[in-house]
């Protein structure tokens, strides 16, 4: 059966042309002058120095594009007027030319020159537009850690949750055994611990945030205030550091005032009170972004962080959102360094704060900076007076 089927098979032929002895009929396709075709004309003009009109005419004839508009134009050159000054008739003639089956939609460059010669130079009035904002993430296109594709969404989420990370500005009024001066002593000591362990900036800001959020919800006696501080630092280290200090290190740094069980019990209490919510935007995350927008150098970066850490100690700055404190620190730093302008359109766009909105927080930061290094709480001043931080504390003392 298979042999019979094979013997009856016919060779495959051209299904589109049944007549094998005749060549297929060539269908001539009329293509319009597209953008690509126009670009090729401009390229040939630059390469060979030929006239644009001749190139258009030559390529149009090669493709069978003979536009009636060329005939009208040729008649104009010979002095014959085929179209009178009637605008209605002129419009009808143009539509007949444009939509003719034998013509294509092409741009006659000489038509513009003729009109400009008869009417004088064309004057185009345009409204003065602002220069486009620079793309600050362009330099990180090939850096996968910068997550350029999602960075705008990330900071949009941070701004949405900016208020959620804040604590009531007067939460100390609910505490019966501690006050804002004790909190300042604790924060000043935690800054020294942070410097001693050589931890990352993120850890310090998260630790202070955890302490304030916990104290705003739980009553604490002065005996256990330092325990709250080292526990907040321990949790922040576990969350941010690659190699966090051991629990025994925190017990040793507190001179053995608390046992291991005390720290673990406080850790459980803090996490349950905060509902394990560690991902809150601190002033640090906004500071990094805003410094990038400001195209800061090392000096402005150090000054801004110096002012920002001074705000950590001061209880009064808790009334401002973290994003506002970071923006005001950069604004104050630029003013102290006499950078002009103090606040530009790029910073205003990304920080979403105008210069007027930064005035109140900026004045508070200036007062804190003016009193830095005075009194007993000088951890931030001494930290930024060393060479590792470019000695900005001493350099900015007289500013």
């Amino acid at each position: 059966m298979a042999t019979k089927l094979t013997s009856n098979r016919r060779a495959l032929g051209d299904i589109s042309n049944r007549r094998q002895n005749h060549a297929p009929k060539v269908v001539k396709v009329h293509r319009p002058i597209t953008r690509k075709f126009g670009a090729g004309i401009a390229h040939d003009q630059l390469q060979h120095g030929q006239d644009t009109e001749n190139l258009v005419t030559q390529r149009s004839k090669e493709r069978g594009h003979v536009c009636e508009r060329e005939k009208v134009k040729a008649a104009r050159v010979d002095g014959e007027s085929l179209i009178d000054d009637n605008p209605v008739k002129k419009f009808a003639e143009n539509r007949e030319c444009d939509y003719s089956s034998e013509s294509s939609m092409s741009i006659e460059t000489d038509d513009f020159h003729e009109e400009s010669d008869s009417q004088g130079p064309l004057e185009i009035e345009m409204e003065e537009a602002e220069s486009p904002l620079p793309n600050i993430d362009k330099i990180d296109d090939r850096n996968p850690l910068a997550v350029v594709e999602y960075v705008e969404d990330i900071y949009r989420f941070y701004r949405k949750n900016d208020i959620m990370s804040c604590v009531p500005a007067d939460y100390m009024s609910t505490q019966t055994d501690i006050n804002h001066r004790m909190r300042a002593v604790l924060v000043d000591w935690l800054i020294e611990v942070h410097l001693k362990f050589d931890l990352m900036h993120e850890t310090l800001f998260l630790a202070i945030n955890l302490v304030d959020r916990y104290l705003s919800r739980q009553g604490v006696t002065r005996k256990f205030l330092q325990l709250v501080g080292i526990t907040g630092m321990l949790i922040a280290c576990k969350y941010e550091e690659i190699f966090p200090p051991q629990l025994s290190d925190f017990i040793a740094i507190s001179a053995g005032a608390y046992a291991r069980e005390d720290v673990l019990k406080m850790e459980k209490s803090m996490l349950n009170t905060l509902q394990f919510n560690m991902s809150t935007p601190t002033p640090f995350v906004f500071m990094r972004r805003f410094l990038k927008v400001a195209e800061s150098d090392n000096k402005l970066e150090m000054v801004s962080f110096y002012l920002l850490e001074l705000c950590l100690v001061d209880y009064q700055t808790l009334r401002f959102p973290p994003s506002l404190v970071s923006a005001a620190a950069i604004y104050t730093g630029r003013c102290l360094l006499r950078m002009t302008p103090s606040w530009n359109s790029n910073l205003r766009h990304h920080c979403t704060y105008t210069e007027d909105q930064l005035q109140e927080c900026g004045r508070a930061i200036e007062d804190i900076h003016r009193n830095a290094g005075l009194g007993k709480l000088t951890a931030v001043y001494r930290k930024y007076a060393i060479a590792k931080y470019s000695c900005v504390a001493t350099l900015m003392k007289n500013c």
Side-chain angles (χ1 to χ4, degrees), residues 42-229:
H43 177 72
D44 291 345
Q45 181 186 9
L46 294 176
Q47 293 293 330
H48 305 290
Q50 298 181 11
D51 184 69
T52 306
E53 178 184 1
N54 296 334
L55 286 171
V56 173
T57 306
Q58 179 182 353
R59 292 202 174 192
S60 299
K61 290 180 179 180
E62 291 176 357
R63 290 164 173 78
H65 300 308
V66 181
C67 182
E68 295 295 334
R69 186 179 297 175
E70 294 182 3
K71 297 179 180 180
V72 174
K73 183 179 176 181
R76 286 179 181 176
V77 175
D78 295 335
E80 300 177 5
S81 177
L82 300 181
I83 302 176
D84 58 14
D85 295 331
N86 189 344
V88 178
K89 187 176 181 180
K90 185 176 182 180
F91 176 75
E93 291 289 339
N94 288 338
R95 287 183 60 86
E96 182 180 357
C97 173
D98 290 340
Y99 294 99
S100 175
S101 60
E102 294 295 327
S103 65
S104 63
M105 298 179 64
S106 60
I107 301 176
E108 296 291 339
T109 57
D110 287 349
D111 290 344
F112 295 104
H113 293 296
E114 290 179 1
E115 293 179 2
S116 62
D117 292 338
S118 59
Q119 300 177 1
L122 297 176
E123 297 181 0
I124 302 176
E125 297 181 359
M126 301 179 62
E127 295 182 359
E128 184 177 359
E130 296 183 358
S131 58
L133 296 175
N135 184 7
I136 63 174
D137 298 309
K138 186 176 181 179
I139 59 176
D140 294 323
D141 282 342
R142 298 185 179 181
N143 182 10
L145 300 179
V147 289
V148 175
E149 297 85 354
Y150 312 106
V151 67
E152 292 293 341
D153 295 331
I154 291 172
Y155 278 91
R156 193 177 298 112
F157 173 79
Y158 283 156
R159 292 304 301 268
K160 184 179 179 180
N161 294 273
D162 193 14
I163 304 300
M164 295 179 60
S165 63
C166 297
V167 296
D170 59 343
Y171 78 82
M172 275 297 174
S173 61
T174 62
Q175 296 286 344
T176 58
D177 200 35
I178 60 175
N179 53 41
H180 66 89
R181 289 185 296 272
M182 296 180 185
R183 175 201 175 270
V185 173
L186 174 65
V187 173
D188 189 79
W189 179 74
L190 288 177
I191 292 174
E192 289 185 346
V193 173
H194 176 269
L195 181 62
K196 179 71 175 179
F197 288 152
D198 194 20
L199 303 175
M200 296 189 299
H201 279 91
E202 299 95 315
T203 306
L204 175 62
F205 286 90
L206 180 58
I208 305 302
N209 178 265
L210 296 177
V211 170
D212 282 326
R213 288 164 58 199
Y214 181 75
L215 293 179
S216 65
R217 302 182 185 184
Q218 291 289 339
V220 177
T221 61
R222 67 182 66 186
K223 178 182 178 181
F224 295 104
L225 182 59
Q226 189 180 16
L227 178 60
V228 173

Side-chain angles (χ1 to χ4, degrees), residues 310-358:
L310 287 174
C311 295
L312 290 177
V313 184
D314 195 281
Y315 174 75
Q316 300 300 324
T317 58
L318 292 177
R319 69 182 188 271
F320 301 112
S323 60
L324 178 59
V325 177
S326 300
I330 296 177
Y331 172 72
T332 307
R334 292 174 65 92
C335 292
L336 293 175
L337 295 174
R338 295 177 175 83
M339 301 177 65
T340 54
S342 301
W343 201 250
N344 55 36
S345 59
N346 201 24
L347 285 165
R348 184 169 58 251
H349 171 76
H350 288 279
C351 301
T352 67
Y353 291 114
T354 63
E355 191 170 354
D356 293 336
Q357 293 173 322
L358 301 175

